[in-house]
Amino acid sequence: CALGTILVLVPGTGSTTICYIMAGCFIFLALYYFFRFFRSLKDPDYIGNELGGAIALLVAGVYMVLDVNRLVSLVPVLLAFIIVSDSAIKLQNSFFLKKIKSEKAGAIFLIGLINLVIAILLLWNPFFGKFTDLIVALAVGLLFSGVSDLVMLILVIKASKSVREENLIEEHIEKR
């Protein structure tokens, strides 16, 4: 939701900001892994891959800072894939709800399917001529995805509670 809001408010600079934030996170993680690596040198029994991860993250972070303009063009594709994976999770949760005989399984399935269609349309970009139009469309897709996540979460929690209550009632009846 927050990412979608940022992109709706400032579509042009929002993509660049996202790249810089990711670069900062990569560099921060690299420093953390360097710290863990040098700390692990004191423990003779510890074998880890922190140095490799630190170098890879540092190179990726520095590259992102130095060549942000090239990476900005990848932001829409990455965001669309995030929506695709979120859609898959929604679809999976709909099957879980169907398994526990929830009435909300169809609604969650429909939300997941709509989310997936939006993501696929955004990946193939058939309607958007300008880059900022695509970013705004992605932002709307991310907002829909975030709101539907909240709706799905509420529905899944309610369904899980009702199943637990039914199981408790059945256990109580069986004990009599």
Side-chain angles (χ1 to χ4, degrees), residues 45-172:
D45 296 329
Y46 183 78
I47 299 173
N49 295 323
E50 283 86 2
L51 183 61
I55 292 170
L57 286 167
L58 184 63
V59 168
V62 169
Y63 177 76
M64 290 173 88
V65 168
L66 296 176
D67 202 5
V68 73
N69 292 329
R70 186 183 314 179
L71 294 173
V72 165
S73 64
L74 295 176
V75 168
V77 174
L78 295 174
L79 293 177
F81 275 114
I82 289 171
I83 296 173
V84 167
S85 66
D86 186 56
S87 302
I89 291 168
K90 284 180 179 72
L91 292 171
Q92 181 178 344
N93 282 333
S94 75
F95 287 108
F96 165 73
L97 289 173
K98 186 176 180 182
K99 182 178 171 182
I100 63 172
K101 297 177 175 82
S102 171
E103 300 167 358
K104 309 297 182 189
I108 297 298
F109 184 81
L110 185 62
I111 290 171
L113 208 54
I114 291 169
N115 225 17
L116 186 61
V117 168
I118 290 170
I120 290 170
L121 286 175
L122 291 171
L123 275 172
W124 273 274
N125 187 14
F127 308 114
F128 308 105
K130 294 187 335 189
F131 183 74
T132 53
D133 293 342
L134 175 62
I135 294 297
V136 170
L138 273 166
V140 170
L142 284 170
L143 285 170
F144 176 79
S145 181
V147 169
S148 64
D149 280 346
L150 294 174
V151 170
M152 182 194 63
L153 183 63
I154 290 168
L155 293 176
V156 168
I157 288 171
K158 284 182 180 179
S160 296
K161 282 183 180 177
S162 68
V163 167
R164 270 190 250 129
E165 289 170 359
E166 288 175 17
N167 288 342
L168 288 173
I169 291 170
E170 288 176 11
E171 287 177 15
H172 182 69

Side-chain angles (χ1 to χ4, degrees), residues 11-65:
T13 59
S15 299
T16 306
T17 304
I18 290 169
C19 284
Y20 282 128
I21 289 170
M22 287 176 55
C25 290
F26 282 13
I27 291 169
F28 176 77
L29 280 172
L31 295 174
Y32 171 72
Y33 281 131
F34 275 123
F35 172 76
R36 281 189 54 175
F37 170 74
F38 288 115
R39 200 166 143 211
S40 71
L41 292 176
K42 297 176 185 173
D43 184 2
D45 296 329
Y46 183 78
I47 299 173
N49 295 323
E50 283 86 2
L51 183 61
I55 292 170
L57 286 167
L58 184 63
V59 168
V62 169
Y63 177 76
M64 290 173 88
V65 168

